[in-house]
Amino acid sequence: MRVNNFAMGEQIERTSLYADTTPRHSLPDISQAVANEHQHLTQTHEYKAGWSFFLVLAGVVTTLGSSLPVGYNIGVVNTPAEVIKTFCNESFVSRYNLPLNDTWLNVLWSFIVSIFIVGGCTGSVLGSVLADKFGRKYATIATSALSIAGAVFFLYCRAANSVEMLIIGRLLVGLAGGLTTSIVPMYLTELSPLSLTGAMGVACPMGVNVGVLVGQVMGLNFLLGGVDDWPYLLSVFAILVIICLPVLFILPESPKYLFIVKRNEITSIKELSRLRGVSSSILTEDLELLREERRAADVAASSGESKWSMARVAADPRLRLILLLVCSTQAGQQTSGINAVFYYSQTIFIQAGLSKQSAQYATIGCGFINVCTAALMLHLLPRRGRRPLLLGSTLCATICLAALAAAMTAIEMVSWMPYVCMVAVLLYVLFYGFGLGPIPYFIASEMFEVGPRPAGMAWGSLANWGGNFLVGLCFPTMRRAIGPYSFLVFSAITGALFMFVRKYFPETRGSTPAQVTEACSQGFRSRPTRNPNMNGV
């Protein structure tokens, strides 16, 4: 009996020693903590990055305040050309007592037009340096400052009776244009989640297209196309730049730039959280992508060179095919003859029976088509991908250019042939806008990893401005020598681009830059369109 009591007491003591001593009132707290953790895991699992306030704001502000002025300065100079030539002649007579004959006046005007392209090429090269030194956001702000300075020179050049101020203004807006096409697409795609890089990449080319259209519209006589209005016509774009500039300061810096280039994880995560509009605790997928890109950058930097210069990108065999694809599509966008088609469009419309004013409106209509197709690309790119749109656009543009050359050759032989020319122009502009126009602007940001991306974007922008310069230099001579057959040259170049793109261009939708780099790492031996890790078509 005594033994049983002892055993029972020992059991009671053991039970009390190992019993839960947690106060009863804390149990609901534990349950709440478990519930909160479950809710956090559910949110993390369900969260998918999409459109946010700052992402939309960045797209709108850079489109209106950075990209639109580039297109505006491309399209605005044709309308007041004769009036500005008269001003230049009068300025030389009054200041230097040196009248200019038609030959020298045309040379001077060609210089005024082409200095914009020289500035664009220079800005493209500087873009990679500024983007890494000051960051994507502050490099964009510096670009806006250059645009405003150029507009000031335009506004006061007539009052100062200075052709030099006009030239400096064209150089400054050209520099701003080159910087914009090099930096802005990179900035927007780095802000975007992977599913929206295409949609955000279209923002820059859409802004350029809108700018060209606005420049054409503002040149109408009842707006700013009057004889005495040309300084205002050249500088009015600065109003948008000034409105958008303060908003640029409140935009987030690129989290990828901060995380990978500057190695500032804390600020990068804060900016990413502000950009996405959610707590940093549920951004696990975004942070994992950032870490993956940084690991790839560390591997690339282990060769001994930490700085990705343009020369290093060009010399790296793993990036050679990507660089060729980027530069060929950017240059091909210009050497497809889009500017030449716009140059000829008004003449074609007049020959089709339209009055001069109606032909001007029809040319503006071409610009409107270009803008509408760029807007439609916001819907098509996430659903159809880059490769099929670029291939279809390039092939159809090749056919339209050949048809335009044939129709223009017979334009005076057959009564209805001017209408064929008009249809060919409209179809060319339409097909150009569905791939060849917008995709080259941003494709480098989806192909190059963060380290070499600024230099790769700079090479692409340089190829674009270089193609523009080449067409501007050669087209007048070609037009005098072979006339309508000039468009057969453009057709052949665009057809060659189609063949190259068809063989090597990968589908980048849904793929990381690291996957694209790996798929193209063998140069011309690569078959990225057959790579199972890519979304090839």
Side-chain angles (χ1 to χ4, degrees):
M1 187 70 175
R2 191 176 300 167
V3 173
N4 289 339
N5 288 338
F6 176 79
M8 185 178 295
E10 186 180 18
Q11 184 178 359
I12 293 170
E13 184 180 358
R14 189 183 298 119
T15 304
S16 66
L17 283 172
Y18 292 97
D20 184 7
T21 59
T22 304
R24 292 290 178 185
H25 65 79
S26 68
L27 288 177
D29 297 338
I30 295 174
S31 300
Q32 185 63 41
V34 171
N36 290 341
E37 180 65 19
H38 175 72
Q39 184 180 5
H40 163 69
L41 291 172
T42 303
Q43 288 176 341
T44 303
H45 178 71
E46 292 179 353
Y47 171 73
K48 186 174 179 62
W51 295 106
S52 65
F53 171 75
F54 277 112
L55 186 61
V56 173
L57 185 65
V60 171
V61 168
T62 54
T63 298
L64 295 179
S66 299
S67 305
L68 188 148
V70 178
Y72 187 88
N73 284 294
I74 291 172
V76 77
V77 292
N78 290 329
T79 302
E82 295 303 320
V83 179
I84 296 177
K85 286 180 185 179
T86 303
F87 159 74
C88 292
N89 193 24
E90 291 174 352
S91 176
F92 268 71
V93 170
S94 61
R95 293 173 62 202
Y96 307 117
N97 195 25
L98 182 64
L100 301 174
N101 58 31
D102 288 342
T103 301
W104 282 107
L105 198 57
N106 287 330
V107 169
L108 178 61
W109 177 246
S110 298
F111 181 73
I112 291 171
V113 172
S114 61
I115 197 69
F116 174 77
I117 301 176
V118 172
C121 292
T122 307
S124 299
V125 175
L126 293 175
S128 63
V129 178
L130 294 181
D132 274 349
K133 186 173 180 61
F134 300 112
R136 285 38 164 167
K137 181 176 84 170
Y138 287 102
T140 304
I141 290 170
T143 300
S144 297
L146 281 174
S147 291
I148 294 171
V152 171
F153 276 98
F154 290 148
L155 188 61
Y156 292 104
C157 64
R158 184 177 61 181
N161 196 27
S162 173
V163 178
E164 293 83 358
M165 288 180 67
L166 177 62
I167 293 171
I168 292 171
R170 288 287 292 173
L171 178 63
L172 289 175
V173 294
L175 279 169
L179 290 169
T180 296
T181 54
S182 179
I183 296 168
V184 168
M186 172 171 53
Y187 177 47
L188 293 180
T189 51
E190 287 185 2
L191 291 181
S192 308
L194 193 61
S195 60
L196 296 178
T197 55
M200 288 298 283
V202 173
C204 182
M206 185 167 67
V208 173
N209 291 341
V210 171
V212 172
L213 177 62
V214 171
Q216 292 171 338
V217 172
M218 295 301 290
L220 294 172
N221 288 334
F222 63 88
L223 291 175
L224 291 176
V227 175
D228 297 323
D229 295 330
W230 65 267
Y232 309 109
L233 176 63
L234 295 184
S235 58
V236 70
F237 71 90
I239 295 173
L240 274 178
V241 182
I242 293 169
I243 291 171
C244 294
L245 182 58
V247 186
L248 286 173
F249 283 93
I250 68 171
L251 292 177
E253 179 54 274
S254 163
K256 288 187 178 182
Y257 165 75
L258 293 170
F259 196 92
I260 297 169
V261 178
K262 303 302 288 184
R263 304 292 169 135
N264 190 338
E265 291 190 22
I266 295 175
T267 306
S268 171
I269 293 171
K270 286 181 180 178
E271 292 288 77
L272 183 61
S273 176
R274 190 163 73 99
L275 175 64
R276 298 286 185 259
V278 296
S279 169
S280 59
S281 61
I282 63 173
L283 291 171
T284 53
E285 185 177 346
D286 291 85
L287 291 174
E288 183 55 37
L289 286 173
L290 287 175
R291 292 188 182 102
E292 181 185 334
E293 288 202 48
R294 189 164 74 177
R295 284 193 294 268
D298 290 339
V299 170
S302 63
S303 60
E305 277 188 272
S306 59
K307 187 70 175 176
W308 281 99
S309 64
M310 291 179 70
R312 184 186 173 195
V313 168
D316 192 321
R318 283 173 52 84
L319 300 178
R320 194 161 294 153
L321 179 58
I322 293 177
L323 184 62
L324 284 172
L325 285 166
V326 167
C327 289
S328 62
T329 52
Q330 283 269 40
Q333 182 197 75
Q334 296 297 324
T335 54
S336 67
I338 183 65
N339 291 331
V341 169
F342 271 105
Y343 177 88
Y344 255 120
S345 61
Q346 194 157 338
T347 303
I348 291 169
F349 293 141
I350 289 173
Q351 287 181 313
L354 300 179
S355 65
K356 186 175 181 180
Q357 187 175 15
S358 298
Q360 188 177 10
Y361 285 126
T363 302
I364 291 173
C366 289
F368 182 72
I369 291 173
N370 220 5
V371 171
C372 290
T373 52
L376 284 172
M377 289 291 281
L378 292 170
H379 174 79
L380 289 174
L381 272 170
R383 293 163 176 79
R384 295 289 180 262
R386 287 62 162 154
R387 178 178 161 84
L389 288 170
L390 183 59
L391 280 173
S393 172
T394 308
L395 178 61
C396 291
T398 302
I399 295 170
C400 288
L401 286 166
L404 181 60
M408 287 190 68
T409 303
I411 198 167
E412 294 181 356
M413 302 177 188
V414 183
S415 60
W416 44 265
M417 198 57 69
Y419 299 101
V420 176
C421 293
M422 189 161 61
V423 171
V425 168
L426 294 173
L427 286 177
Y428 169 77
V429 172
L430 179 68
F431 291 129
Y432 174 89
F434 276 119
L436 191 54
I439 291 175
Y441 272 110
F442 69 86
I443 199 64
S445 62
E446 294 190 344
M447 289 184 153
F448 284 103
E449 295 174 90
V450 173
R453 185 175 294 156
M457 294 288 291
W459 273 116
S461 182
L462 182 61
N464 188 291
W465 288 93
N468 193 345
F469 180 78
L470 186 65
V471 171
L473 185 69
C474 297
F475 178 62
T477 304
M478 287 169 54
R479 181 168 57 89
R480 287 192 296 268
I482 58 177
Y485 295 106
S486 304
F487 292 102
L488 281 181
V489 177
F490 295 135
S491 179
I493 294 172
T494 310
L497 177 64
F498 168 78
M499 298 302 295
F500 183 56
V501 166
R502 184 173 180 271
K503 186 170 184 178
Y504 290 110
F505 194 89
E507 177 54 71
T508 60
R509 180 185 58 164
S511 302
T512 64
Q515 290 173 323
V516 177
T517 300
E518 181 61 31
C520 299
S521 60
Q522 298 301 312
F524 289 118
R525 296 193 304 275
S526 305
R527 292 295 180 267
T529 60
R530 303 175 190 171
N531 194 310
N533 295 323
M534 306 293 293
N535 298 314
V537 177

